[in-house]
Amino acid sequence: AQTPVKVTVTGAAGQIGYALLFRIASGQLLGADVPVKLSLLEIPQAVKAAEGTAMELDDCAFPLLSGIEITDDPNVAFNGANVALLVGAMPRKAGMERGDLLEANGGIFGPQGKAINDHAADDIRVLVVGNPANTNALIAQQHAPDVPAERFTAMTRLDHNRALSQLAAKLQVPVTEIKKMTIWGNHSATQYPDLFHAEVGGKIAAELVDEGWLRDTFIPTVAKRGAAIIEARGASSAASAANAAIDHVYDWVNGAEWTSAAIPSDGSYGVPEGLISSFPVASRNGKWEIIQGLEIDAFSRERIDASVRELEEERDAVRQLGLI
Ligand code: NDP
């Protein structure tokens, strides 16, 4: 039988963790024929809740789930890990300055990056979900000098999926008819969902909608969807975030023609090298590749640059704090 793949989930007792773990255990993360071992990392006060989730996982009797480990020690959690989903993070609280937020997350993602560096399997792939995701991924990566830099990624797939769904509703087409959607930049309100390369039935999406809708409705609806969900549900999005994490890793491992992921820049499209920024990507042979050669018009350029500028500011702030 195949050796189980070890998947580590941090913040496992949280909302997203609860929506994520059962899908991983059922085979949706890697494939319906790939056995998995789960490692649940939590802070000490949430270990008991994680144990409760593990009891429920047991009670599903998932054929592919070969074991569950629960720990508050990153060195244990990442030991031999093949996939790491970094979900647990310090949320921004009212009145918190950005520096405080970054500092608190530096205290989480620095040590986790080091534990990954020292203990993870050679093929480790890391997806950061916990916000500020791009910069948390950068912090973890900078503490893992022995791991190839491109193994550290951050999630913009939820933004991508939101963009697909908004456009599909507007044009009254199934989401499957939309190709080449792209989210650029930071997973934040400055992200840029790009309809100038997206295609619907072979036509450029931006030409099928009016400019006012694209600028004043589509872009802000996608960028602020998280807040709208909180307003409606009374809690932040969890199942859709977990779903996007599944999509990201599944495609990374199994291949994809065109999607969005935040990956370390190689300087493409004027994004400074090393920043973990969202790009249009393909996945080939287990690696993300930035889709090259797209023409960027002035409208898009301005928005990509603004989001990338924010990422540079976050990077400079964590540098100044000595976190990287
Ligand atoms: P959630 O599971 O709802 O969210 C976890 C993180 O995902 C947050 O940082 C959140 O950012 C982020 N996130 C990214 N995209 C989305 C999205 N689309 N919708 C919602 N969230 C998104 O948080 P909970 O508070 O329920 O659970 C967090 C768990 O993490 C707790 O159990 C806590 O104990 C644990 N934790 C574990 C750590 C560790 O393992 N070392 C460290 C820190 C926390 P945002 O806040 O901006 O929404």
Side-chain angles (χ1 to χ4, degrees), residues 162-183:
R162 286 167 170 166
L164 289 176
S165 128
Q166 292 299 321
L167 182 65
K170 170 74 174 173
L171 296 176
Q172 307 251 298
V173 298
V175 285
T176 48
E177 271 192 39
I178 305 172
K179 310 286 180 213
K180 306 188 179 179
M181 182 63 78
T182 301
I183 304 291

Side-chain angles (χ1 to χ4, degrees), residues 19-283:
L20 188 56
L21 290 166
F22 297 85
R23 295 190 59 189
I24 299 171
S26 73
Q28 292 177 290
L29 186 76
L30 298 163
D33 53 352
V34 183
V36 290
K37 244 181 350 193
L38 280 171
S39 181
L40 316 187
L41 179 65
E42 260 298 353
I43 52 178
Q45 53 277 33
V47 163
K48 183 145 185 272
E51 285 168 356
T53 306
M55 289 162 71
E56 283 202 80
L57 284 160
D58 282 339
D59 292 350
C60 295
F62 285 117
L64 289 172
L65 183 57
S66 79
I68 310 173
E69 156 189 282
I70 304 155
T71 178
D72 62 5
D73 182 352
N75 294 317
V76 172
F78 295 114
N79 186 36
N82 307 103
V83 177
L85 300 170
L86 309 189
V87 178
M90 179 66 77
R92 187 187 287 267
K93 299 195 190 91
M96 208 175 190
E97 296 295 327
R98 186 170 64 178
D100 299 336
L101 179 76
L102 293 172
E103 187 138 38
N105 281 298
I108 297 169
F109 288 87
Q112 289 184 0
K114 179 160 182 0
I116 288 169
N117 188 67
D118 294 348
H119 302 290
D122 286 345
D123 68 347
I124 179 72
R125 289 180 166 89
V126 182
L127 170 62
V128 177
V129 175
N131 282 315
N134 302 53
T135 296
N136 287 342
L138 183 68
I139 294 169
Q141 182 205 58
Q142 295 293 309
H143 286 78
D146 303 331
V147 177
E150 80 264 12
R151 305 288 186 76
F152 285 84
T153 66
M155 188 167 91
T156 51
R157 185 61 172 265
L158 180 55
D159 310 302
H160 178 98
N161 288 343
R162 286 167 170 166
L164 289 176
S165 128
Q166 292 299 321
L167 182 65
K170 170 74 174 173
L171 296 176
Q172 307 251 298
V173 298
V175 285
T176 48
E177 271 192 39
I178 305 172
K179 310 286 180 213
K180 306 188 179 179
M181 182 63 78
T182 301
I183 304 291
W184 298 89
N186 199 1
H187 169 69
S188 75
T190 66
Q191 65 175 268
Y192 174 52
D194 176 359
L195 294 188
F196 292 90
H197 300 99
E199 294 176 6
V200 183
K203 297 199 180 83
I204 295 295
E207 287 165 12
L208 301 173
V209 298
D210 61 83
E211 203 195 311
W213 181 81
L214 191 162
R215 192 186 50 231
D216 302 328
T217 302
F218 173 74
I219 295 175
T221 299
V222 172
K224 295 181 192 155
R225 184 72 167 175
I229 304 262
I230 292 173
E231 172 75 25
R233 242 189 120 226
S236 63
S237 42
S240 54
N243 178 69
I246 297 265
D247 285 350
H248 177 112
V249 174
Y250 186 90
D251 284 356
W252 192 356
V253 172
N254 295 295
E257 283 304 308
W258 187 309
T259 184
S260 303
I263 67 170
S265 176
D266 60 359
S268 295
Y269 297 107
V271 181
E273 201 176 331
L275 280 185
I276 298 185
S277 185
S278 190
F279 288 99
V281 291
S283 163

